[in-house]
Amino acid sequence: MKYINKKLVIEKTSIENIAKKYGTPTYSYSYDQLRTNINNFKKSFKSFSPLICFSVKSNSNVNLIEEIKKFGLGADVVSIGELMTAIKAGINPKKIVFSGVGKTSNEIIYAIEKKILLINAESKSEIKEINRIAKLKKKKIKIGIRLNPNTDAKTLSQISTGKKENKFGVNEKTFIDLVKYCKNSRNILLSCLSVHIGSQILNHKPYERMLKVIDKIINKTNYKFEFIDLGGGMGITYNNKNRKLDYKKYNFAVNRFLKKHKSKIIFEPGRSIIGNTGTLISKIIYIKETKNKNFIILDAAMNDLMRPALYGATHKILPSKKIGKKTKKIYEFVGPICESTDKFITLKKFQKLKEKDIIAICDVGAYGMSLSSNYNLRLKPLELLIKKSKIRVIKKRQKYKDLI
Ligand code: LLP
């Protein structure tokens, strides 16, 4: 996104024109940004060409996943719904990994029937269940075991997953026991060690520590894993204060690891692929002035974008037109939902705004639409993909008849 002739544009299309034609609130994705992100990701790790499995939970729009597939990516899924979506988008099942602590028997059966690459199991009970189903189907199924490396990802506690108090994966001792257990399970072929320590990680050091733990455990088990799945978690810059993840250092650490262990690396990135491609376009309904603050009441709300209410996350807000006039007043950008947490950001010295103005909430491609809900019985927004000057509706706005 940039300003051209003082107008905010996504790949040449002004957000005002988008708002006029398609209404608000609307999610708009930039194809150009998506392509750049995928190419950069591939380039960062090209020395060992990993299998890149896009994390569908970050954005489950089937049309976007179809575009992502065209770059050769696979998918990381955590439910039968996500698995169906990935397959519908045309992703080769041999590039799909299935994560999650609570896969049901039906989900395991479906994954086996679709012949996906790996089911990453997270407990002994789950391994037993996979073995039972595989035996009934007279098949030998490739699985991974998710290790909890007890590594602090130095990110928000709500999105940290690799510490011993988290529900994810198994600890070192259990992991070693389960490797032995798998060797004796006739319908299972243990092929992968998987980890995922958290999301929005901006410091490479937790990844280095995680790799050290994996190295130690592989040495202890003395087992040859065909795949090492390092999960996702690569963070993006939501504001100027954010540091940037040093991909060179992460790449260096993986290469050092691969000198000792010859395995195929899998990554499961979500946010780093799709996060900064998405913008939520919204209209100001009312401006409510008080002595200390102006409440800018938007037509987008916490049901459309949950991250600020759920994690205290900040997303930049930009006006559709740059007029240069700044006000000294404090602006609190809120939605119409009946909750005090329905607020996006508080800003000082922002450009003067008026009712009916259009604004953009930035970097909402990941965990934006996928976390949206119908709270307050609000309709889910429309989604658009902008490719050069072409605009394509990739999901229609929900209708009341679907809801009521
Ligand atoms: N693999 C596994 C097993 C995961 O649990 C996740 C994310 C990913 C990969 C992708 O992580 P990413 O590259 O996107 O960081 N709703 C939160 C983020 C939750 C992440 C959950 N797991 C947010 O809006 O910040």
Side-chain angles (χ1 to χ4, degrees), residues 168-179:
F168 304 98
V170 297
N171 67 19
E172 191 178 320
K173 186 184 167 305
T174 312
F175 188 92
I176 294 168
D177 291 345
L178 288 178
V179 173

Side-chain angles (χ1 to χ4, degrees), residues 131-348:
N131 192 55
R132 183 188 72 80
I133 295 168
K135 193 173 168 188
L136 284 177
K137 296 200 167 281
K138 300 192 177 61
K139 283 190 173 158
K140 194 159 184 139
I141 298 300
K142 277 191 183 179
I143 69 155
I145 305 175
R146 178 160 172 186
L147 170 73
N148 181 326
N150 193 21
T151 306
D152 187 350
K154 302 266 181 245
T155 182
L156 293 170
S157 63
Q158 302 101 313
I159 53 175
S160 182
T161 49
K163 286 183 12 195
K164 65 176 188 299
E165 59 268 32
N166 299 130
K167 70 180 173 186
F168 304 98
V170 297
N171 67 19
E172 191 178 320
K173 186 184 167 305
T174 312
F175 188 92
I176 294 168
D177 291 345
L178 288 178
V179 173
K180 286 184 203 137
Y181 182 80
C182 286
K183 282 185 195 161
N184 298 322
S185 304
R186 295 177 67 189
N187 296 81
I188 271 175
L189 176 60
L190 177 60
S191 314
C192 178
L193 179 156
S194 81
V195 280
H196 172 77
I197 56 173
S199 199
Q200 185 52 13
I201 297 172
L202 293 167
N203 184 336
H204 64 280
K205 290 203 172 109
Y207 285 128
E208 286 178 351
R209 282 195 285 275
M210 166 191 97
L211 283 161
K212 276 192 187 139
V213 177
I214 303 175
D215 172 44
K216 191 178 83 187
I217 289 195
I218 297 183
N219 292 339
K220 278 192 188 164
T221 56
N222 200 19
Y223 190 85
K224 169 89 184 72
F225 290 93
E226 183 184 355
F227 303 101
I228 302 290
D229 180 344
L230 297 175
M234 296 81 172
I236 61 169
T237 43
Y238 283 106
N239 57 53
N240 306 337
K241 279 183 238 144
N242 281 158
R243 61 192 281 178
K244 274 203 172 110
L245 175 66
D246 192 333
Y247 278 83
K248 269 194 190 141
K249 289 196 171 137
Y250 190 11
N251 175 57
F252 184 78
V254 179
N255 271 307
R256 197 170 42 200
F257 170 88
L258 286 172
K259 283 203 179 106
K260 296 195 216 157
H261 310 283
K262 302 255 171 299
S263 300
K264 175 93 179 161
I265 297 291
I266 299 175
F267 282 122
E268 301 171 355
R271 190 188 319 260
S272 50
I273 301 294
I274 202 79
N276 66 354
T277 68
T279 305
L280 181 56
I281 302 172
S282 175
K283 192 187 212 167
I284 299 173
I285 309 177
Y286 298 121
I287 297 183
K288 186 167 164 175
E289 303 202 338
T290 68
K291 212 168 158 207
N292 308 314
K293 242 190 227 172
N294 279 350
F295 289 99
I296 305 281
I297 303 168
L298 300 173
D299 65 359
M302 64 189 277
N303 75 300
D304 305 305
L305 176 66
M306 252 307 230
R307 300 193 71 254
L310 202 54
Y311 314 113
T314 42
H315 288 266
K316 258 188 317 199
I317 290 194
L318 296 174
S320 65
K321 256 187 297 193
K322 239 188 192 164
I323 56 164
K325 261 194 226 155
K326 290 203 172 157
T327 146
K328 282 196 189 110
K329 286 199 177 162
I330 298 174
Y331 277 141
E332 187 161 299
F333 290 81
V334 300
I337 281 184
C338 307
E339 298 259 359
S340 292
T341 54
D342 183 24
K343 91 183 159 201
F344 293 109
I345 200 167
T346 307
L347 296 171
K348 279 181 211 162

